[in-house]
Amino acid sequence: MSERLIIIGAGQAAAQAVQSLRTEGFSGPITLIGDEAYAPYQRPPLSKAYLLGTFARERLFLKPDTFYRESDCSLILNTRVRAIHRAEKTVELPDGQRLPYDKLLLTTGTRVRELTCPGADLAGVHYLRSIADVDGLQAHFRPGARLAIVGGGYIGLEVAAVAAKRGLDVTVFEAMDRLMARAVSVPMSEFFAAEHEKAGVILKLRTGVEAIAGQGKVERVRAGGHNYAADIMLVGIGVLPNDELALQSGLFCEDGIVVNRSGMTEDPSIFAAGDCTRHIGREGNAIRLECVQNAIDQAKHCALAISGKPATYSEVPWFWSDQYDLKLQIAGLARSGDRIVLRGDPAARKFAVFHLRDGIVAAVEAVNAAPEYLAARKWIAAGARIAPEKLADLSVPLKQMT
Amino acid sequence: MAKVTFIAHDGKEHVVDIAEGWSLMEGAVKNGIPGIDADCGGACACATCHVYVDPAWTASLPPIADTEEAMLDFALVTAPNSRLSCQIRVTSDMDGLIVRLPASQH
């Protein structure tokens, strides 16, 4: 008898898994359960083109509806799984119904970290994670509206760029001393700070939000000891892994569902992929990544393992962000202590920052510099050693670096 | 709407209708054409939606931009008629367009 597979969580990793499972020859019935109203869709455009209004909703969907039918995959939407019963190998739905599985794949993703200061529950405080979130925000995006953004990370800054373009008055509050501190190097933070200021965005660094006040809705934000008037707020202060179902079923979790290099949890019938996992990175340490690349590549590895062909996951992580006409592309994971090498001139709005670790290319951050980004992806995967003087020298073509 | 033919590496043909304004890549992915991965969803960030445009059509497509050209440098087995399908916006003029897919995107 062919095996029954249930996938919990209907995002990027789930869609990839269904496709890859069928490519790898998995023949059992697949049931995909998601808690949103939609079949798997792309989240990256939500804070970019979809918010800007230049990207219609139907373009967000990763697969056509026919894909699921043709893949013998039943979709159960608007449904939050209540429990996983590992001993009897069933998944319990909110109505008490228990669906049996032979293999289970968890692609539950993340949820937003919520603001906890006084007034955080006032109307007008928005988050951005889902289609519904953006649709809720859209209605308030009027020229001249005062938008207070909490968090100068990817989400906050992508929204700031869209809002500035749409004529809102934007202020970004960031508790750290620089933008995107968790994701990029100091020169990159400084470059993006200057670009946002050029667009009229007001940046308040080292400024944590202390309270929000207003009559029934957001009117003022108190941050760094000052009051700022605001009509609307967007909070982008990170995400938390949805690992509770796994945890409650007794699976080992540690800020994410712990999986091995083929995507398997400690239960050989249960696998996990994407933002919700803590896995062993290329450098041998346990990491949790929040990116499309990891969702896709881990899903492919889970599909291989579920189909009886486990393979070792050791892909180079990659990320991107679009702000104004700037395309930021990142590959590899930088670390403090890396030697930083600049190639190109930030003033030309086309440059790359390489990170060398013991002389080996470990990461790259590229702005409007796709060749540098792609070349570095290959170098990182190969563990290439390149002299910093050579990397910095624009007269040395990328193809002659190694 | 434009009718576009995707020819897989093994010769299998898929004919699909793509709405104007969509990219060629989206049309392929939404219609489940195997062989176009488009990992980044059309952000011109991954070079996994590489196609070869039929020689009869290369001149009539919008010209290739710098970023696309640079990304193509890193696609596998490129040719003068290589394009990234996420960067080709479909218009009604493209009705009848034929593109071929490479053996692999990775």
Side-chain angles (χ1 to χ4, degrees):
Chain A
M1 199 184 92
S2 62
E3 293 189 304
R4 293 158 300 188
L5 175 77
I6 294 180
I7 306 177
I8 305 178
Q12 182 107 35
Q16 182 65 49
V18 174
Q19 180 181 325
S20 296
L21 281 158
R22 292 313 182 204
T23 310
E24 298 303 335
F26 180 84
S27 60
I30 301 175
T31 303
L32 173 52
I33 309 172
D35 62 0
E36 286 185 62
Y38 306 103
Y41 60 88
Q42 311 173 59
R43 292 192 196 279
L46 292 180
S47 49
K48 309 176 181 85
Y50 184 64
L51 180 62
L52 190 59
T54 56
F55 199 90
R57 178 182 298 177
E58 68 264 23
R59 293 177 69 181
L60 291 173
F61 294 98
L62 285 160
K63 304 286 176 195
D65 293 342
T66 49
F67 166 81
Y68 300 98
R69 265 201 311 283
E70 286 161 8
S71 303
D72 185 19
C73 173
S74 329
L75 286 179
I76 303 180
L77 301 175
N78 285 312
T79 302
R80 187 174 290 244
V81 169
R82 190 194 278 169
I84 299 164
H85 302 289
R86 286 170 54 203
E88 59 173 59
K89 285 190 152 188
T90 62
V91 161
E92 184 180 338
L93 301 184
D95 61 4
Q97 191 191 347
R98 294 187 180 203
L99 306 179
Y101 67 81
D102 298 297
K103 294 275 162 58
L104 180 63
L105 174 60
L106 305 174
T107 51
T108 47
T110 58
R111 63 181 178 282
V112 296
R113 185 192 298 277
E114 293 187 10
L115 209 56
T116 52
C117 69
D121 54 352
L122 278 172
V125 178
H126 294 260
Y127 294 85
L128 200 159
R129 174 85 196 145
S130 64
I131 288 179
D133 290 340
V134 180
D135 293 349
L137 193 59
Q138 256 331 335
H140 305 279
F141 259 50
R142 300 177 312 270
R146 292 162 301 186
L147 170 66
I149 294 177
V150 187
Y154 286 136
I155 291 288
L157 296 179
E158 288 175 0
V159 172
V162 171
K165 218 183 245 180
R166 288 184 54 180
L168 281 76
D169 285 340
V170 186
T171 306
V172 176
F173 299 96
E174 167 56 53
M176 306 278 280
D177 61 357
R178 61 187 183 96
L179 299 177
M180 299 185 281
R182 214 164 53 102
V184 304
S185 61
V186 172
M188 200 53 79
S189 293
E190 288 172 353
F191 171 78
F192 274 92
E195 288 290 327
H196 280 281
E197 286 179 333
K198 250 194 306 194
V201 172
I202 294 167
L203 301 176
K204 297 286 177 192
L205 301 177
R206 297 176 212 86
T207 308
V209 167
E210 292 135 18
I212 305 163
Q215 294 288 329
K217 68 170 282 296
V218 174
E219 289 170 2
R220 288 180 309 285
V221 179
R222 186 155 184 87
H226 293 89
N227 284 318
Y228 299 86
D231 302 305
I232 176 173
M233 279 184 82
L234 183 276
V235 182
I237 53 172
V239 292
L240 302 167
N242 292 324
D243 58 6
E244 290 75 11
L245 271 179
L247 198 61
Q248 284 156 17
S249 75
L251 287 172
F252 182 44
C253 296
E254 198 170 35
D255 179 40
I257 304 164
V258 174
V259 295
N260 69 14
R261 285 193 136 139
S262 62
M264 195 171 82
T265 67
E266 60 182 320
D267 180 333
S269 305
I270 306 183
F271 300 77
D275 289 11
C276 66
T277 68
R278 176 159 294 270
H279 62 277
I280 309 299
R282 299 178 75 242
E283 290 149 23
N285 51 329
I287 53 173
R288 193 171 65 73
L289 294 172
E290 296 156 7
C291 60
V292 164
Q293 170 276 324
N294 184 52
I296 289 176
D297 288 329
Q298 270 193 325
K300 287 179 181 173
H301 280 76
C302 284
L304 284 167
I306 291 168
S307 310
K309 301 178 265 188
T312 300
Y313 176 69
S314 68
E315 316 297 310
V316 176
W318 50 269
F319 314 82
W320 80 93
S321 177
D322 297 325
Q323 297 170 35
Y324 309 105
D325 58 342
L326 302 166
K327 177 171 291 298
L328 169 63
Q329 295 171 296
I330 298 177
L333 298 175
R335 259 193 233 159
S336 63
D338 288 348
R339 172 159 183 182
I340 284 177
V341 179
L342 179 69
R343 179 180 172 88
D345 180 9
R349 308 176 87 240
K350 189 181 173 75
F351 66 104
V353 175
F354 294 94
H355 294 249
L356 300 185
R357 196 172 304 148
D358 303 325
I360 290 169
V361 183
V364 67
E365 301 153 25
V367 170
N368 293 347
E372 275 76 2
Y373 159 74
L374 277 174
R377 256 175 79 175
K378 298 201 168 175
W379 297 336
I380 297 164
R385 180 179 296 277
I386 303 175
E389 311 74 53
K390 214 166 146 188
L391 263 183
D393 186 350
L394 282 175
S395 71
V396 181
L398 293 168
K399 293 204 161 168
Q400 286 170 25
M401 290 288 173
T402 51
Chain B
M1 197 75 92
K3 216 171 259 312
V4 178
T5 303
F6 292 85
I7 304 177
H9 194 65
D10 63 7
K12 195 165 176 218
E13 291 192 14
H14 301 263
V15 184
V16 300
D17 289 322
I18 306 179
E20 276 184 67
W22 285 42
S23 72
L24 205 54
M25 175 280 289
E26 286 178 279
V29 170
K30 299 295 154 67
N31 286 287
I33 307 278
I36 296 217
D37 294 349
D39 287 347
C40 74
C44 201
C46 69
T48 62
C49 64
H50 173 206
V51 297
Y52 304 106
V53 174
D54 188 88
W57 282 87
T58 45
S60 48
L61 293 184
I64 197 160
D66 288 352
T67 310
E68 183 186 347
E69 186 144 28
M71 298 293 287
L72 271 169
D73 251 6
F74 292 89
L76 300 172
V77 211
T78 53
N81 59 337
S82 285
R83 294 293 302 257
L84 292 181
S85 56
C86 71
Q87 300 302 303
I88 299 174
R89 196 140 311 282
V90 171
T91 64
S92 55
D93 295 346
M94 294 180 196
D95 196 41
L97 174 65
I98 297 169
V99 298
R100 291 178 176 78
L101 303 175
S104 167
Q105 297 284 0
H106 284 273

